[in-house]
């Protein structure tokens, strides 16, 4: 499966550029799918999702993607870029969205769901999104090490070598 | 090298501004993020890692990490705990600033007492507007600031 990185144009650059991933053959991108599903949830989850949107807006417009705003647990703490934001306390846990934080100015927002279990390995909602983020983390780590993906320091954009493809 | 471009079909992407979040919630998160970032910067200035500060506070690193994730509801007590551990002020009230400013000024600047002048200060002291300089003699009298 090939996946492409797309800049989220409705979240225009201010402090941080937002990107997401669209897997070939899927109707929508990861972030779009997340938002679409959260909109359909019951009110308590929806309230957490709205707060998460506000949080992302503050990252984009004012504070930047500082590492301190992202959570890690034993599943993500050893991965170079993968992290998550967990918002609220919808019964029994909040909603979680996985991200790849490349720098303070470059953030890939991926997918997530309401966490239902203490450990992510046991959560049927979030585990697949974690696995996806973990896989991408490995791909990005290697591509950045090999110079296939870089940050243009002037424009603070993500750039890639012509022949680079994300193969999942 | 080529640039990753903005999504060609933006209508698929959510427009966050189209979903209004409660103003109080935004203010809450903005303040919490600002305080967290400030603490993070103070830690950097002091050469402290999160683990070091957690130890000083008698807390676990995971617990401190939650305090600094931009969603924590700080209390005066928790801020006092942080300030005590850092040995520095994390937030200041206007009264704190009032007493700081004249001391800074009298060491570094000269004034024209006839003019209403604005001075920008670096560091944690906020921009201050000098509204009255009459009777100003060194640091012996307080000067009024807005």
């Amino acid at each position: 499966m090939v996946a492409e990185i797309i800049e989220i144009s409705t979240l225009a650059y201010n402090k941080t550029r937002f990107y997401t991933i669209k897997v070939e053959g899927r109707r929508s991108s990861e972030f779009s799918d997340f938002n679409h599903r959260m909109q359909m949830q019951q009110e308590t989850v929806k309230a957490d999702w709205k707060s998460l949107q506000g949080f992302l807006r503050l990252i984009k417009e004012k504070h930047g993607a500082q590492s301190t705003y992202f959570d890690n647990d034993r599943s993500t703490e050893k991965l170079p870029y993968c992290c998550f934001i967990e918002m609220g306390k919808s019964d029994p846990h909040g909603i979680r969205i996985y991200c790849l934080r490349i720098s303070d100015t470059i953030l890939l927002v991926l997918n997530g769901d309401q966490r239902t279990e203490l450990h992510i390995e046991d959560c049927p909602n979030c585990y697949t999104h974690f696995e996806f983020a973990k896989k991408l983390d490995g791909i990005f780590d290697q591509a950045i090490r090999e110079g296939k993906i870089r940050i243009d320091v002037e424009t603070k954009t993500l750039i890639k070598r012509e022949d680079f493809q994300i193969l999942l | 090298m080529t640039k990753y471009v903005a999504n060609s079909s933006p209508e698929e992407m959510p427009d966050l501004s189209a979903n209004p979040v409660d103003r109080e919630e935004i203010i809450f998160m903005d303040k919490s993020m600002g305080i967290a970032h400030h603490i993070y910067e103070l830690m950097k200035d002091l050469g402290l890692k999160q683990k070091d500060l957690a130890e000083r506070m008698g807390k676990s690193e995971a617990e401190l990490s939650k305090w600094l994730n931009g969603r924590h509801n700080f209390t005066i007590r928790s801020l006092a705990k942080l300030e005590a551990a850092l040995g520095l002020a994390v937030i200041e009230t206007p009264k704190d600033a009032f007493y700081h400013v004249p001391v800074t000024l009298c060491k570094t600047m000269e004034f024209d007492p006839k003019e209403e002048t604005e001075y920008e200060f670096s560091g944690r002291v906020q921009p201050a507007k000098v509204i009255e300089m009459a009777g100003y003699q060194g640091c012996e009298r307080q000067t009024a600031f807005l």
Side-chain angles (χ1 to χ4, degrees):
Chain A
M1 274 191 303
V2 180
E4 63 170 329
I5 302 171
I6 44 179
E7 186 178 352
I8 302 176
S9 53
T10 47
L11 302 178
Y13 174 70
N14 194 323
K15 278 273 187 179
T16 302
R17 270 186 207 280
F18 280 53
Y19 294 87
T20 191
I21 295 285
K22 188 171 185 300
V23 179
E24 195 179 52
R26 287 191 193 164
R27 200 174 59 84
S28 51
S29 71
E30 293 300 301
F31 187 48
S32 187
D33 176 64
F34 170 75
N35 285 298
H36 182 71
R37 283 185 296 104
M38 292 302 109
Q39 267 173 326
M40 305 294 158
Q41 299 288 323
Q42 54 176 316
E43 279 309 311
T44 49
V45 177
K46 214 165 151 181
D48 287 345
W49 169 68
K50 280 190 175 175
S51 295
L52 178 66
Q53 287 194 315
F55 194 74
L56 290 172
R57 261 176 64 192
L58 285 166
I59 285 177
K60 177 184 79 82
E61 291 169 2
K62 186 171 176 184
H63 296 281
Q66 309 283 342
S67 60
T68 191
Y69 303 142
F70 296 86
D71 301 315
N72 276 294
D73 60 13
R74 64 179 188 181
S75 64
T76 55
E77 66 188 358
K78 293 205 169 108
L79 301 173
Y81 304 107
C82 185
C83 50
F84 57 86
I85 298 169
E86 192 165 297
M87 186 64 74
K89 293 192 190 309
S90 332
D91 192 26
H93 302 284
I95 60 165
R96 177 180 286 205
I97 186 166
Y98 282 95
C99 305
L100 296 189
R101 196 188 79 87
I102 308 296
S103 72
D104 289 357
T105 57
I106 304 278
L107 183 70
L108 270 93
V109 278
L110 302 173
N111 212 330
D113 209 324
Q114 186 188 357
R115 183 163 65 91
T116 56
E117 304 295 330
L118 184 62
H119 299 301
I120 205 69
E121 298 85 351
D122 306 322
C123 178
N125 286 356
C126 291
Y127 189 65
T128 51
H129 303 303
F130 161 65
E131 283 285 291
F132 184 82
K134 187 179 163 186
K135 196 167 188 178
L136 270 180
D137 183 276
I139 292 169
F140 266 75
D141 188 32
Q142 193 181 346
I144 289 168
R145 281 171 198 269
E146 293 172 356
K148 290 175 180 171
I149 294 180
R150 284 189 200 155
I151 297 171
D152 182 332
V153 287
E154 277 184 26
T155 59
K156 303 273 184 2
T157 49
L158 207 55
I159 51 173
K160 64 156 186 166
R161 224 160 64 184
E162 306 280 355
D163 59 347
F164 175 69
Q165 272 192 320
I166 297 174
L167 295 170
L168 294 166
Chain B
M1 300 290 266
T2 55
K3 204 178 278 187
Y4 286 109
V5 291
N7 184 20
S8 56
S9 54
E11 70 283 353
E12 187 198 305
M13 281 300 162
D15 179 2
L16 297 190
S17 59
N19 295 290
V21 185
D22 189 281
R23 184 167 164 71
E24 182 187 323
E25 183 69 5
I26 285 283
I27 293 170
F28 164 74
M29 289 189 293
D30 187 22
K31 298 278 182 213
S32 184
M33 290 170 95
I35 292 170
H37 180 62
H38 184 48
I39 293 166
Y40 193 69
E41 290 293 307
L42 290 175
M43 281 164 59
K44 270 206 289 193
D45 290 348
L46 294 170
L48 284 177
K49 293 202 182 312
Q50 205 162 280
K51 191 181 165 192
D52 304 324
L53 184 59
E55 262 173 32
R56 285 189 186 187
M57 296 170 68
K59 296 204 164 286
S60 71
E61 199 181 344
E63 199 172 352
L64 180 61
S65 179
K66 277 186 186 168
W67 282 25
L68 302 181
N69 73 4
R71 279 96 75 198
H72 182 68
N73 190 4
F74 289 100
T75 62
I76 306 272
R77 180 62 67 187
S78 61
L79 288 168
K81 206 172 182 65
L82 278 160
E83 291 196 0
L86 287 164
L88 289 169
V90 172
I91 57 165
E92 287 182 346
T93 61
K95 201 168 182 183
D96 295 329
F98 183 86
Y99 286 107
H100 279 149
V101 173
V103 176
T104 310
L105 288 177
C106 72
K107 281 183 182 167
T108 57
M109 301 174 104
E110 289 181 4
F111 300 106
D112 178 358
K114 291 170 198 159
E115 288 186 14
E116 195 178 273
T117 319
E118 279 189 3
Y119 296 94
E120 286 285 337
F121 300 101
S122 59
R124 294 200 311 281
V125 180
Q126 295 299 307
K129 189 176 184 183
V130 181
I131 57 166
E132 193 245 313
M133 296 297 294
Y136 178 80
Q137 292 167 344
C139 289
E140 288 170 17
R141 289 186 61 165
Q142 289 291 345
T143 309
F145 289 89
L146 277 182

